[in-house]
Amino acid sequence: MSRRVLVTGLADASPDAIRAACDIAEQLGAAIDAGSPDTARPIGPIVVRAGAVTADPEELRDRADLVILWFCSPDSLGRSQIADLVRHSLPDGTARTVIAVGPEPIASAGSHLPLPTETAVDATRLLHAVLLEHDVPQANPAAAAVADTCRDLARAIRDASCVAVVTCDDSDITGLTAWATSLLVRSMAHARPAFAVPLSASSTEKTLARAADAAAMLTWRYGAAGAIAR
């Protein structure tokens, strides 16, 4: 006989199935979890407390004159509508600047700032420091190279009226990159309109919607989306 039961896997379930799972979990005295990537990560609660500033892709289309594809893979963009949206100018005819940051160039980006995947967290924090005009240590040659890229990007951000940061966190196992990116975007939003547009390379729009339904339903019933003991 089990000592503790966890009901999860609700990200692929229909709303009716989610409600039934909640009823079953309550009868068993089980914990229940939406199964979303944020709650599965070790520091998921930290990401929630950090407070992410996000928007739908349509906001990017209508408002952002600078789009930063932040460590996105071509596959993740290929499964989304972002690649089509960024190719067009703003509704008022203003040109849009698109910069890809990461290991791979992306066809829909006008320029590419190459950085290895393993530098994603350091690059996010360094860019944050550069935008705040903090001193960046130069003793580490690798960090100095990342900082040079961040300075180029910071100049583009300061010249922009509205910034959209497109992210894909499928490879972000610990959640550190999402945490650092949410702090970076929130800091940028104090100086100009800025928001993140998160993508998921492995999920369809239908699955993403169901994952959001599951998180919303658990939050409504129990006050939080992850692992609430009943």
Side-chain angles (χ1 to χ4, degrees), residues 49-134:
R49 285 197 297 272
V53 181
T54 61
D56 293 331
E58 288 76 15
E59 291 292 314
L60 176 156
R61 176 195 63 197
D62 296 338
R63 299 176 59 198
D65 59 340
L66 173 63
V67 177
I68 303 170
L69 306 177
W70 192 247
F71 289 89
C72 293
S73 68
D75 286 343
S76 66
L77 291 174
R79 293 184 176 92
S80 74
Q81 56 179 315
I82 298 296
D84 291 331
L85 296 181
V86 300
R87 289 192 179 98
H88 303 288
S89 301
L90 291 169
D92 63 1
T94 303
R96 194 192 314 273
T97 300
V98 183
I99 302 173
V101 180
E104 301 179 79
I106 294 176
S108 54
S111 60
H112 175 224
L113 299 178
L115 286 177
T117 301
E118 59 270 18
T119 66
V121 176
D122 291 336
T124 307
R125 297 179 68 183
L126 280 169
L127 176 57
H128 194 179
V130 170
L131 287 171
L132 294 175
E133 299 183 353
H134 292 173

Side-chain angles (χ1 to χ4, degrees), residues 10-13 15 18 203-216:
L10 305 182
D12 295 321
I18 296 168
S203 300
T204 64
E205 291 184 6
K206 184 176 181 181
T207 299
L208 289 173
R210 285 183 172 177
D213 286 343

Side-chain angles (χ1 to χ4, degrees), residues 29-53:
I32 185 163
D33 180 77
S36 65
D38 280 342
T39 55
R41 291 175 181 137
I43 65 166
I46 294 178
V47 176
V48 173
R49 285 197 297 272
V53 181

